[in-house]
Amino acid sequence: MRKDHLVKGLADGLRIYAAVTTDLVNEAIRRHDCYPVAAAALGRTMTGALLMAANLKNREALTVTFNGGGPLGKVVADATPEGYVRGMVMDPHVNLPLNAKGKIDVGGGVGMAGQVTVTRYTGLADPVSGSVALVDGEIADDLTKYLLESEQTPSSVGLGVLIDPDFHCIGAGGFILQLMPDATDACIDKLEANLERIHSVSHMVERGMDAKGIIAEVLKGFDVEYLTTTDLAFRCNCSKERIAEVLATLRPSDLQSLIDDGKAEVTCHFCNTSYAFTKEELLAIQQKQQEHAGKQS
């Protein structure tokens, strides 16, 4: 099966984006040492973020943040229309029993006493954010509600992450289906019948379906026009230079404390990469900080 990818498609009165994300979910599991609940929550959130970012312009980006008060803590994903995503979950080692349906209890991990927030970075001076209260913490229904209430876009979101007993993802993907203004009642009725019939997205991917296959299954009986295909990957934009810039924003006393320790190690929350700084490097950062403060005064 081909690597992770996202496909856009159109049909009568409908727009659909579908994605296969198994590899990037496994990369997130590896980087964060995720137990199944965290893996499923983070995987669904990253997949949803990629699907929502697909209609952005180049060099734009968005962040999806779930903060439901559950034991996982915040679940966050950043995505770009170029197909890059990164994500983090505050407590990746949450271990919960299966829910009443015998499935991974993502809702119990995320919680329902909170909201989902989507922040779009469009190159304007300030990013644009919207939030809605959570439906069930299972991610897909929450994003469906967000798109309807915050962006006035009637949508159906399907997301799935299948985890085996060895904490390995064996199928992950999703779709966002949106009604266009010219959608007819007959089209909507046929679509609703399809959505009731289809299997979970994660099982479609496990069986070997690609994104076009997912679209064909969801839109069975429709004349689908397939548009662009975008490769997807877990990619973080952190670097030692960026971390050094963050260190330069510390209070002078805090930076001096690190210098007194003789070294510092900073870990990126999104990708778990650690960056080590020697005393000499910290002194150089301090000098730049002092020079900048001198110019400001």
Side-chain angles (χ1 to χ4, degrees), residues 104-256:
I104 295 173
D105 192 4
V106 172
V110 171
M112 289 178 279
Q115 59 190 15
V116 54
T117 300
V118 177
T119 304
R120 296 178 182 268
Y121 302 90
T122 59
L124 300 175
D126 296 312
V128 179
S129 290
S131 300
V132 298
L134 296 177
V135 177
D136 56 12
E138 293 281 339
I139 311 300
D141 287 345
D142 303 299
L143 292 180
T144 298
K145 180 184 178 184
Y146 168 82
L147 288 166
L148 178 61
E149 293 190 4
S150 188
E151 301 193 3
Q152 291 74 53
T153 307
S155 308
S156 177
V157 181
L159 301 168
V161 175
L162 197 59
I163 306 295
D164 70 12
D166 296 324
F167 297 2
H168 184 76
C169 179
I170 54 177
F175 65 84
I176 288 182
L177 179 65
Q178 298 180 329
L179 296 177
M180 308 291 275
D182 60 342
T184 64
D185 289 343
C187 159
I188 295 171
D189 290 343
K190 184 163 68 169
L191 177 61
E192 288 178 344
N194 279 5
L195 291 174
E196 289 179 6
R197 173 190 55 79
I198 62 172
H199 296 288
S200 69
V201 182
S202 55
H203 283 96
M204 291 186 204
V205 177
E206 183 199 18
R207 296 202 312 268
M209 278 191 187
D210 60 7
K212 282 187 178 179
I214 295 171
I215 292 175
E217 188 74 7
V218 174
L219 297 184
K220 201 164 190 176
F222 287 85
D223 184 15
V224 181
E225 177 188 0
Y226 295 103
L227 306 174
T228 57
T229 298
T230 303
D231 289 335
L232 306 176
F234 186 107
R235 178 182 292 185
C236 189
N237 59 4
C238 71
S239 65
K240 192 166 184 177
E241 290 74 19
R242 283 178 177 247
I243 300 297
E245 291 172 2
V246 173
L247 291 175
T249 66
L250 293 176
R251 290 184 302 178
S253 58
D254 292 335
L255 183 55
Q256 183 61 51

Side-chain angles (χ1 to χ4, degrees), residues 30-96:
R30 182 187 70 80
R31 287 178 177 270
H32 296 293
D33 190 32
C34 292
Y35 287 12
V37 175
L42 182 56
R44 292 180 193 178
T45 303
M46 291 194 304
T47 303
L50 282 165
L51 291 164
M52 293 174 68
N55 66 357
L56 297 178
K57 297 176 182 176
N58 286 346
R59 298 190 180 181
E60 295 185 345
L62 62 75
T63 298
V64 178
T65 303
F66 280 84
N67 191 6
L72 288 173
K74 284 186 181 179
V75 183
V76 185
D78 292 342
T80 71
E82 291 82 15
Y84 301 128
V85 69
R86 63 179 188 169
M88 58 82 66
V89 53
M90 288 185 70
D91 187 348
H93 292 162
V94 169
N95 199 4
L96 298 175

